[in-house]
């Protein structure tokens, strides 16, 4: 019987560890999804705002609001054409998070962490909410598109505008040299 009790205890501790690990992974996944949802909600709000601005412009110009006419299915392309950028300067009254981060990176003289960038954006745009996780996800997207650079120092990660990291490395003398 002592063997059965030892086996039961071992199985219980194994399952307890597995459940704990599963709960941690679940919590991490929930946080990731919350960050994605927050990012998408911000994008949706920006697009909805753009629509309101465009409708106001349409009304101000006296353009009749016609329902969109759809081409017959056989004539429609298999892949939608890319969006055209609007030439009207008032069409983007509220810049996207990506635009704000790009502008901020260009103003930086030294690399900054996602938390520092998030805090700075929050000070400049007090009416908007910037979570560090969403800013970090956006920064990583910019890095993937070569529109930002990532610099790792130990466990810390800093971001800067493209080309700035190389310039910083060129200016910083190697250790042990006299400059």
């Amino acid at each position: 019987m002592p063997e059965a009790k030892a086996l039961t205890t071992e199985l219980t501790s194994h399952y307890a560890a597995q459940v704990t690990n599963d709960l941690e992974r679940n919590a991490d996944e929930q946080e990731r999804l919350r960050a994605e949802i927050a990012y998408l909600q911000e994008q949706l709000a920006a697009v909805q705002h753009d629509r309101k601005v465009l409708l106001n412009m349409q009304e101000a110009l006296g353009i009749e609001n016609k329902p969109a006419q759809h081409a017959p299915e056989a004539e429609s392309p298999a892949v939608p054409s890319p969006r055209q950028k609007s030439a009207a300067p008032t069409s983007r009254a509220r810049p996207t998070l990506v635009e704000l981060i790009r502008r901020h990176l260009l103003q930086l003289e030294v690399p900054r962490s996602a938390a520092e960038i998030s805090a700075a954006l929050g000070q400049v745009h007090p009416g908007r909410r910037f979570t560090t996780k969403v800013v970090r996800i956006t920064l990583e997207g910019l890095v993937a598109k070569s529109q930002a650079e990532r610099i790792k120092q130990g466990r810390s990660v800093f971001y800067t505008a493209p080309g700035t990291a190389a310039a910083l490395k060129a200016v910083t003398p190697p250790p042990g040299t006299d400059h």
Side-chain angles (χ1 to χ4, degrees), residues 72-157:
E73 290 298 320
E75 296 179 20
S76 64
V79 178
S81 61
R83 293 182 189 170
Q84 297 295 318
K85 291 193 177 191
S86 173
T90 57
S91 66
R92 293 223 56 101
R94 182 177 174 181
T96 66
L97 179 60
V98 171
E99 292 168 345
L100 291 175
I101 290 175
R102 267 198 233 128
R103 289 181 201 159
H104 184 75
L105 290 176
L106 290 170
Q107 295 171 354
L108 295 178
E109 293 181 16
V110 295
R112 298 281 186 216
S113 69
E116 292 170 321
I117 292 170
S118 178
L121 290 174
Q123 288 179 349
V124 176
H125 303 278
R128 292 177 74 169
R129 186 171 158 253
F130 300 95
T131 63
T132 301
K133 189 156 192 166
V134 172
V135 169
R136 183 180 306 111
I137 289 168
T138 306
L139 284 162
E140 288 299 326
L142 290 171
V143 168
K145 296 176 191 173
S146 300
Q147 296 176 0
E149 291 184 7
R150 178 190 317 116
I151 301 168
K152 291 187 179 183
Q153 292 180 352
R155 293 186 67 196
S156 301
V157 179

Side-chain angles (χ1 to χ4, degrees), residues 43-59 65-68 83 90-94:
Q43 283 187 322
L44 176 60
V47 170
Q48 288 172 332
H49 180 267
D50 290 349
R51 177 173 172 71
K52 287 178 185 176
V53 170
L54 291 170
L55 287 172
N56 288 339
M57 288 177 64
Q58 184 181 43
E59 184 179 323
N65 189 4
K66 297 178 186 176
R83 293 182 189 170
T90 57
S91 66
R92 293 223 56 101
R94 182 177 174 181

